[in-house]
Amino acid sequence: DTGVSQNPRHKITKRGQNVTFRCDPISEHNRLYWYRQTLGQGPEFLTYFQNEAQLEKSRLLSDRFSAERPKGSFSTLEIQRTEQGDSAMYLCASSPLGTRSSEQYFGPGTRLTVT
Amino acid sequence: AQSVTQLDSQVPVFEEAPVELRCNYSSSVSVYLFWYVQYPNQGLQLLLKYLSGSTLVESINGFEAEFNKSQTSFHLRKPSVHISDTAEYFCAVIRGGANNLFFGTGTRLTVIP
């Protein structure tokens, strides 16, 4: 069990640029989640995949955000035309199916700074 | 809808003293409850969970939490803290069958030597 990994760990970008983050879940986990955490707050849910299907999206996920999990393994989160309000820590989590499906294991996060 | 309230944003405590971090939730349906810990410059780690069964759950590093349905609480306790326990602690809830965790705003525990 190598844990959830995320790349890059830090990203600084100028307003208006596009950015893409990658998440590699724990290998046997079918479920994958994206959350956003701003300073002084707890993580907030963005979206959820079961295998390659995106089954749930939060209202926080505006049209500028898109997430994919094309082969049911790694996932990418893209933000187009970044805004300063997008600055946050983006967290990925995964969980297995079955009785432990509610146990979400988090990666280290990608910290995005939009200047 | 679910919500989680962590009443204390910061808790300073001396080393070897006991500590309680409070968490209350609101939900009209049954829920699962979690405590996550975030050490400086690290990701969230699952500390302990309540899914069903015994209302008192324990972690491997001496923390425990008790699910109290009547008071809708899931407070985290440790009888004697160590310097290494300094971290941010998040309480989270998920409705049975749902997919997204709802987190509190976190409690920063600072252990003073």
Side-chain angles (χ1 to χ4, degrees):
Chain A
D1 180 356
T2 58
V4 178
S5 61
Q6 293 186 246
N7 288 289
R9 294 292 304 276
H10 303 274
K11 179 70 177 179
I12 301 174
T13 190
K14 293 184 185 298
R15 188 163 50 106
Q17 298 295 305
N18 299 343
V19 294
T20 300
F21 310 140
R22 175 177 170 129
C23 170
D24 287 87
I26 294 171
S27 58
E28 64 269 24
H29 286 185
N30 303 79
R31 299 184 170 202
L32 186 146
Y33 314 79
W34 285 98
Y35 290 80
R36 181 175 69 184
Q37 185 179 16
T38 54
L39 202 60
Q41 300 297 317
E44 296 173 292
F45 172 77
L46 293 178
T47 190
Y48 154 68
F49 289 84
Q50 183 167 310
N51 299 313
E52 66 275 10
Q54 187 174 21
L55 298 183
E56 191 170 343
K57 292 195 288 186
S58 159
R59 287 176 296 174
L60 293 175
L61 211 66
S62 75
D63 292 345
R64 296 184 296 105
F65 288 68
S66 63
E68 295 182 344
R69 193 182 184 198
K71 296 182 180 179
S73 56
F74 72 91
S75 174
T76 57
L77 178 68
E78 181 182 16
I79 309 174
Q80 296 182 327
R81 305 181 303 282
T82 52
E83 302 173 356
Q84 287 188 321
D86 297 331
S87 295
M89 178 76 85
Y90 289 85
L91 298 169
C92 177
S94 69
S95 70
L97 285 176
T99 56
R100 294 179 53 216
S101 62
S102 59
E103 297 177 30
Q104 298 183 21
Y105 293 87
F106 284 79
T110 295
R111 182 171 296 282
L112 173 66
T113 302
V114 182
T115 61
Chain B
Q2 291 83 50
S3 68
V4 179
T5 303
Q6 292 184 245
L7 297 169
D8 305 300
S9 60
Q10 297 189 54
V11 174
V13 63
F14 285 104
E15 192 175 13
E16 297 183 4
V19 70
E20 178 180 82
L21 306 183
R22 296 179 291 171
C23 172
N24 288 87
Y25 68 94
S26 65
S27 176
S28 58
V29 297
S30 62
V31 295
Y32 303 136
L33 296 153
F34 303 85
W35 277 98
Y36 283 84
V37 58
Q38 189 171 35
Y39 296 104
N41 300 314
Q42 296 188 28
L44 288 163
Q45 298 178 30
L46 180 60
L47 183 62
L48 47 75
K49 60 186 183 286
Y50 172 78
L51 304 180
S52 64
S54 173
T55 57
L56 184 66
V57 291
E58 299 177 351
S59 73
I60 58 173
N61 58 351
F63 283 94
E64 64 178 30
E66 186 161 20
F67 169 56
N68 188 319
K69 188 174 182 179
S70 63
Q71 297 187 4
T72 59
S73 68
F74 192 54
H75 301 330
L76 182 69
R77 302 184 183 95
K78 188 170 185 179
S80 175
V81 295
H82 301 288
I83 296 290
S84 58
D85 294 325
T86 294
E88 186 103 24
Y89 291 80
F90 292 94
C91 182
V93 62
I94 188 169
R95 177 173 52 85
N99 303 306
N100 52 311
L101 286 163
F102 286 89
F103 283 86
T105 52
T107 297
R108 181 170 298 278
L109 173 64
T110 302
V111 180
I112 305 164

